Amino acid sequence: MKRGARLAFTYQGERLKENVESLTSSEMPGSLVLPCDVTKSEEVAETFERTKQEFGKLDFLIHSIAFAPREALDGEYLATTRDAFLTALEISAYSLAQVARAATPLMAEGGSIVTMTYYGAEKVVGGYNVMGVAKAALEASVRYLAADLGPRNIRINAISAGPLQNAFSPRRLGPQYDDEASCRTGTVTPQC
């Protein structure tokens, strides 16, 4: 990086490894690239141990992890299965507490943790279903983690980038985002 930052990136599963390596090798050569499946506690522990060995400390952590089975996003939220609910909450919300816990010893001098949320945590958004519930849990986790981490001089925040026009927008963002101008500007009239 231009200002001297050394970066580490993680990926879940071999299928995504190639994507991350391709990005980092061309744009950020020398970055540490590690596997980190947040559903495997031992892999999370190993990721942070390797990070400690390589860097000695962390200044910041970006938590940009979310997943729900596709069938839990379609149709009614009422049809969400227990397994789909638990998967979405574990990967999309619990993982923040898990990685924050692992990162805290590496932030002895303070640091910053940022996670990604979405408007669907506050308002019903068609096609978002269980992810809205997971993002609401994520936002609550941020508040509780802030209370725990603040005295350690570690800031934690959730940010929402807002709606972006892409191939999934009409299905994911709902009909209130159907026109291109509202997607670009973020102008929206929530239906719920």
Side-chain angles (χ1 to χ4, degrees), residues 58-61 103-113 152 154:
L58 278 179
D59 294 315
F60 64 91
L61 171 75
T104 296
L106 300 178
M107 294 181 166
E109 299 170 23
S112 182
I113 299 172
R152 294 176 171 102
I154 300 172

Side-chain angles (χ1 to χ4, degrees), residues 11 21 27 29 37-38 54 62-63 70-71 76-77 88 90 96-97 110-111 119-120 134-135 148 159 164 172 174 182:
Y11 60 89
E21 287 180 333
E27 299 296 323
D37 182 339
V38 296
E54 184 74 23
I62 306 296
H63 174 272
R70 183 168 303 281
E71 67 273 7
E76 294 183 316
Y77 173 71
E90 177 184 20
L96 176 62
Y119 177 77
K135 290 296 186 178
D148 292 344
I159 62 171
L164 301 172
R172 293 277 185 238
S182 69

Side-chain angles (χ1 to χ4, degrees), residues 67-76 79-81 83-84 129-130 171:
F67 176 79
R70 183 168 303 281
E71 67 273 7
L73 302 174
D74 294 328
E76 294 183 316
T80 304
T81 66
D83 286 343
N129 291 348
V130 74
R171 184 175 96 71

